[in-house]
Amino acid sequence: MSPAAPPTPSPASPAPRLLDWRVRFGVLALIWGFSFVFIKVGTEGFAPFQVTFGRLLFGTAVLAVALVVKRDRLPRGARVWGHLTVAAFLLNALPFSLFAYAELTIPSTLAGICNATTPLWGMLLSLVALSEDRPTRVRAAGLGIGFVGVLTVLGAWQGFSGVDVTGTALALLASFSYAVGWIYVRRTLTGTGASNLSLAGSQVGIATLQLAIVTPLFTSLPTSVDVLPLLAVIALGALGTGYAMLLQYGVVAEVGPTTAAMVTYFIPVIATAAGVALLDEQLTWNTPVGALIVLTGAALTQSRRKPHPHPVAGNTPTASSVRPTPDGATAFAATVAGTTADAAATTNAAPPTPVVGNRSAGAERVGTTDGAPCRA
């Protein structure tokens, strides 16, 4: 069941409606952008797995309340729940944990920029996994430009000096996981009959159970709990993984996934500004310049060929000439990311495309990110 289309505003009052989605879009970008600061502060008082578990727990609570209020039903069928279990790992449990571990040794600004590489990984993977995503010169150029931007951010000409290679690799791996997860969702959760909210809430709930099993095996309860890290984890989960997904869900339903996916390009900018202003993180010239190059490349990878109609008898369009429209599963993938950051985060989900997380591979088909999406 796809979300119902919002009522068409009357011609006499279009402005308030337009302002409404723009405000929510801005709030979504802020939440997923600040998610990397929340992660950094959270790891100052808790182990990375504990930060991730808390994030998922509070995010699940928000989505559970939304499901009850909307009287939405959970998905049905063992097959759907099996796919959701895999999606929960790829789009929530794994990337959220990797970002938490990465920010033990790298600044939140760098983590936010690494999150922006998700569309690059997504395009690279889609060329192999999705037959409908054919390479074009523009998209191929965007892929190359994007990875040049990554090398610029890392200062490759200096031998990556001053950059923690392990932490950076973990952050890039988290973004790669978002891309894999979005493609998996597109291939397996299309046409389930469940709403985006139902799929997203179930996915985050499963990820919470996964972390509930893993966390006690690798961590012990903290001897003391500082207020600031606790508040950061609560904000990360309730806002970045829960409320942000609801915002993304509404924006996608109102203005479509392509416009909603634009949030991906604001996340690293906000993450960088927040890290510098709130955490006193230092920037060298190559960080903002490289980030701009990454975003340029990511935007180019999302360009699409204009469809060429193939007329047949009776002027009826064939299946190949019809541009696919977003469905429940792919819009859900956009919301989850988070990502994103929650794309998160998409962001920060997010994934966001829907899936939790902050993020935007196949932006024509997905709604986000922490992201979504996330997606951090």
Side-chain angles (χ1 to χ4, degrees):
M1 178 180 63
S2 298
T8 303
S10 62
S13 57
R17 190 66 171 175
L18 186 64
L19 178 62
D20 181 59
W21 82 260
R22 284 178 173 174
V23 170
R24 286 183 283 125
F25 182 94
V27 172
L28 181 63
L30 284 172
I31 291 175
W32 277 340
F34 272 83
S35 290
F36 296 98
V37 170
F38 293 151
I39 294 172
K40 190 72 171 180
V41 175
T43 55
E44 294 176 357
F46 300 98
F49 274 136
Q50 292 171 342
V51 171
T52 303
F53 174 68
R55 171 184 188 173
L56 290 168
L57 181 63
F58 290 109
T60 299
V62 171
L63 293 173
V65 171
L67 283 168
V68 172
V69 171
K70 293 180 178 293
R71 298 182 180 179
D72 208 343
R73 295 186 299 180
L74 294 178
R76 296 181 178 181
R79 185 186 184 96
V80 173
W81 283 96
H83 290 316
L84 283 172
T85 299
V86 177
F89 175 75
L90 293 173
L91 289 163
N92 303 111
L94 179 61
F96 289 2
S97 299
L98 288 173
F99 271 122
Y101 271 102
E103 291 201 42
L104 291 176
T105 55
I106 66 173
S108 65
T109 53
L110 179 55
I113 293 171
C114 288
N115 182 76
T117 65
T118 299
L120 305 178
W121 297 118
M123 182 211 158
L124 189 63
L125 289 170
S126 69
L127 299 180
V128 177
L130 298 174
S131 59
E132 70 269 22
D133 282 339
R134 299 299 184 185
T136 65
R137 291 181 179 179
V138 172
R139 298 182 72 195
L143 186 64
I145 290 171
F147 284 111
V148 168
V150 173
L151 295 177
T152 303
V153 170
L154 301 181
W157 64 92
Q158 301 173 346
F160 305 106
S161 60
V163 175
D164 183 80
V165 176
T166 301
T168 304
L170 291 177
L172 291 173
L173 183 59
S175 299
F176 180 79
S177 181
Y178 282 139
V180 174
W182 288 339
I183 291 176
Y184 180 83
V185 165
R186 289 173 62 181
R187 295 177 69 97
T188 61
L189 288 174
T190 300
T192 62
S195 70
N196 299 341
L197 176 59
S198 176
L199 291 172
S202 301
Q203 177 185 306
V204 178
I206 293 173
T208 304
L209 293 177
Q210 292 172 345
L211 262 294
I213 296 172
V214 171
T215 301
L217 300 178
F218 296 94
T219 65
S220 57
L221 292 175
T223 55
S224 61
V225 177
D226 295 331
V227 175
L228 192 57
L230 177 61
L231 292 177
V233 172
I234 293 174
L236 181 63
L239 296 178
T241 304
Y243 180 62
M245 289 180 61
L246 298 177
L247 284 176
Q248 177 73 358
Y249 174 80
V251 172
V252 169
E254 187 169 337
V255 299
T258 302
T259 300
M262 292 292 290
V263 71
T264 301
Y265 306 112
F266 292 89
I267 292 172
V269 177
I270 295 172
T272 299
V276 172
L278 300 179
L279 302 179
D280 293 326
E281 294 178 347
Q282 301 299 312
L283 286 181
T284 55
W285 69 267
N286 57 298
T287 300
V289 171
L292 180 61
I293 297 174
V294 168
L295 293 176
T296 300
L300 291 175
T301 63
Q302 301 308 301
S303 64
R304 304 287 177 179
R305 280 196 187 103
K306 292 183 179 180
H308 298 287
H310 302 284
V312 294
N315 199 32
T316 302
T318 63
S320 62
S321 69
V322 179
R323 191 185 188 95
T325 56
D327 51 60
T330 56
F332 151 67
T335 303
V336 179
T339 191
T340 220
D342 170 290
T346 108
T347 12
N348 281 244
T353 293
V355 219
V356 174
N358 290 277
R359 4 291 158 185
S360 308
E364 290 286 1
R365 291 188 161 218
V366 299
T368 35
T369 136
D370 84 321
C374 87
R375 52 221 355 153

